[in-house]
Amino acid sequence: MRILIYTILFLTFNQSFSQKTLDYKKILTELESSSASLNTTLILPNSDFYIGITKDVIIENPELNSCIDIATNEKKNEQIIRILKKHNLLDKLYVEIENEYSDLSSDQIFKPTETELYLELFFKTKNFGIMSCFVPVFEKKKAKELICDLDKIFDYKYCFKKLKRKI
């Protein structure tokens, strides 16, 4: 009986330490190879306006709000990732934990109200399942440059101009 109890305790203890932890480099690698499943949302803090860039999602009513479900594909998602790298926005990735956006590589957090714009990157990973990471843009100039670069990929000039004006 004692052996059975020790075995159960050992297995429980062993399993609790073998759970996968979120590692910045692993998540970044997964993100960089996620062009097949990446969905991106550009969010303005303190506003109800946002742009949703989705892949493989049925767009129900594009006339209602054409900026919510902008269709993308694998090639365009690769360009989005390249643009984020170009602007050094993937240097830090944040995850939402208990209503706080925490950096994966440090104990730094950000509050959406402190940003000009922030992005939610929603993608499928091999090791962690579905992942949602956040990328803040703190500078107005950088946010506008990012929007201009993204506007070149998609044929939704109205949406990106409206976003740029609201910043």
Side-chain angles (χ1 to χ4, degrees), residues 4-18:
L4 179 63
I5 292 173
Y6 284 125
T7 304
I8 292 172
L9 286 174
F10 174 74
L11 290 174
T12 304
F13 184 75
N14 192 25
Q15 286 297 320
S16 66
F17 286 105
S18 68

Side-chain angles (χ1 to χ4, degrees), residues 125-136:
T125 67
K126 293 175 188 168
N127 296 321
F128 301 102
I130 301 293
M131 188 77 205
S132 181
C133 289
F134 295 86
V135 177

Side-chain angles (χ1 to χ4, degrees), residues 94-124:
Y94 295 80
V95 292
E96 186 177 6
I97 301 171
E98 297 179 12
N99 296 326
E100 285 190 338
Y101 298 93
S102 303
D103 183 15
L104 287 171
S105 58
S106 71
D107 58 354
Q108 185 179 10
I109 61 170
F110 86 88
K111 295 178 181 168
T113 55
E114 297 171 345
T115 67
E116 293 296 327
L117 171 77
Y118 66 101
L119 290 80
E120 179 180 11
L121 307 172
F122 190 76
F123 56 98
K124 190 183 300 185

Side-chain angles (χ1 to χ4, degrees), residues 122-156:
F122 190 76
F123 56 98
K124 190 183 300 185
T125 67
K126 293 175 188 168
N127 296 321
F128 301 102
I130 301 293
M131 188 77 205
S132 181
C133 289
F134 295 86
V135 177
V137 182
F138 295 104
E139 301 167 20
K140 186 177 280 199
K141 181 181 176 188
K142 188 177 262 193
K144 289 186 177 195
E145 289 172 356
L146 173 67
I147 293 166
C148 287
D149 286 346
L150 292 172
D151 185 24
K152 293 173 187 172
I153 300 172
F154 299 97
D155 191 27
Y156 285 82

Side-chain angles (χ1 to χ4, degrees), residues 2-56:
R2 187 180 297 173
I3 293 174
L4 179 63
I5 292 173
Y6 284 125
T7 304
I8 292 172
L9 286 174
F10 174 74
L11 290 174
T12 304
F13 184 75
N14 192 25
Q15 286 297 320
S16 66
F17 286 105
S18 68
Q19 292 178 359
K20 294 178 182 171
T21 58
L22 296 176
D23 177 69
Y24 166 75
K25 290 183 180 183
K26 289 179 184 175
I27 298 296
L28 180 61
T29 303
E30 296 267 4
L31 173 61
E32 291 173 339
S33 63
S34 72
S35 59
S37 67
L38 180 64
N39 293 304
T40 307
T41 306
L42 291 89
I43 305 166
L44 279 173
N46 300 323
S47 173
D48 59 352
F49 181 78
Y50 66 93
I51 294 178
I53 302 171
T54 59
K55 183 174 184 309
D56 298 330

Side-chain angles (χ1 to χ4, degrees), residues 51-52 59 61-71 156 158-159:
I51 294 178
I59 299 170
N61 192 354
E63 292 82 28
L64 186 62
N65 188 345
S66 60
C67 300
I68 291 177
D69 289 321
I70 296 175
Y156 285 82
Y158 166 77
C159 296

